[in-house]
Each structure stands twice: as structure tokens, then as C-alpha cells.
Amino acid sequence: MLTQINPKLPMRDPAVTAAFYTEKLQFRKTSDYGNYLILDRDQVQLHFFLFAELDPLTNYGQVYVRTDAIDPLYHSFLQNGVEIHPGGPLEVKPWGQKEFSVLDPDLNLLTFGQAI
């Protein structure tokens, strides 16, 4: 039986990644192995592996995170100075989700969505 999924995303600099997720997105750093980070918020856990040679412009890392409080989450990100992806503003999508997207420092795409 499957019980969870924990995406693994590339990062170039663990300190920069940890700062973005903890300070801007309000995640908590639960494990730091130098070249491997684990961060969580509520029921979501993200893993990051060191890829120092990563070219962010060729990075296809993407995660879709479901929430039951999209509006407060969106406004908290704005208050923390998180830049919303220009192609992913908060809006209702044809597939029945209200969602928005952000990019992390390594251009991993994070989309947050709530069923409507």
C-alpha cells in the first residue's frame, strides 16, 4: 500500500535553498546532511539533493502541492515577498483547481492548488 510521496528536487546551494523555503515559504528544515536537505510544512515533505552543476534554465523540477486553504497561503507568500510566477497567478483553472505557482532559487516550479 502506498502512503506518501516525497519529491526530490535539485539544488545548487543548500544554504540558499534552506533560506528560501524556511523564510519565504515557511517550511521547517527537518534534516540537513550538507548535500541533502529535508524540509516540511504541514503534511508536505520535500527532499533536495545537491546538484552544483545544475543550470537552472534547463531545470525541469516541478511539484504540485494540494492545499485546503489556497487564499490564505497565497496571501502569506505575498506578505513574505515571494514572487509569484508570471505564468502562474492565482486563478481558477479549467480542471477544477484554484492555483498559483512560484519558482525557487533553482527554478524548480512549485504549483499550489485547491479543488473548487
Side-chain angles (χ1 to χ4, degrees):
M1 178 187 320
L2 303 178
T3 61
Q4 282 186 345
I5 186 167
N6 302 110
K8 293 171 64 172
L9 299 170
M11 65 176 170
R12 293 173 292 161
D13 184 327
V16 170
T17 297
F20 176 80
Y21 280 87
T22 60
E23 296 169 16
K24 299 284 188 176
L25 304 187
Q26 303 301 302
F27 275 70
R28 181 175 58 99
K29 183 167 52 172
T30 56
S31 298
D32 184 347
Y33 301 101
N35 62 354
Y36 197 89
L37 295 176
I38 300 174
L39 302 162
D40 64 35
R41 177 173 173 174
D42 304 322
Q43 301 301 312
V44 172
Q45 186 177 84
L46 301 176
H47 293 223
F48 296 88
F49 62 93
L50 183 62
F51 184 6
E53 300 80 26
L54 175 69
D55 175 358
L57 297 178
T58 63
N59 183 9
Y60 293 102
Q62 297 184 35
V63 176
Y64 193 99
V65 180
R66 296 199 183 272
T67 179
D68 59 4
I70 194 80
D71 291 305
L73 181 66
Y74 178 76
H75 292 293
S76 74
F77 283 7
L78 291 178
Q79 289 174 343
N80 287 337
V82 176
E83 186 175 329
I84 304 303
H85 188 286
L90 182 63
E91 63 185 6
V92 175
K93 301 293 187 176
W95 45 90
Q97 297 288 310
K98 186 174 186 182
E99 60 185 45
F100 69 94
S101 299
V102 302
L103 292 169
D104 78 2
D106 296 300
L107 302 187
N108 290 301
L109 180 69
L110 306 167
T111 301
F112 298 87
Q114 179 176 356
I116 55 168

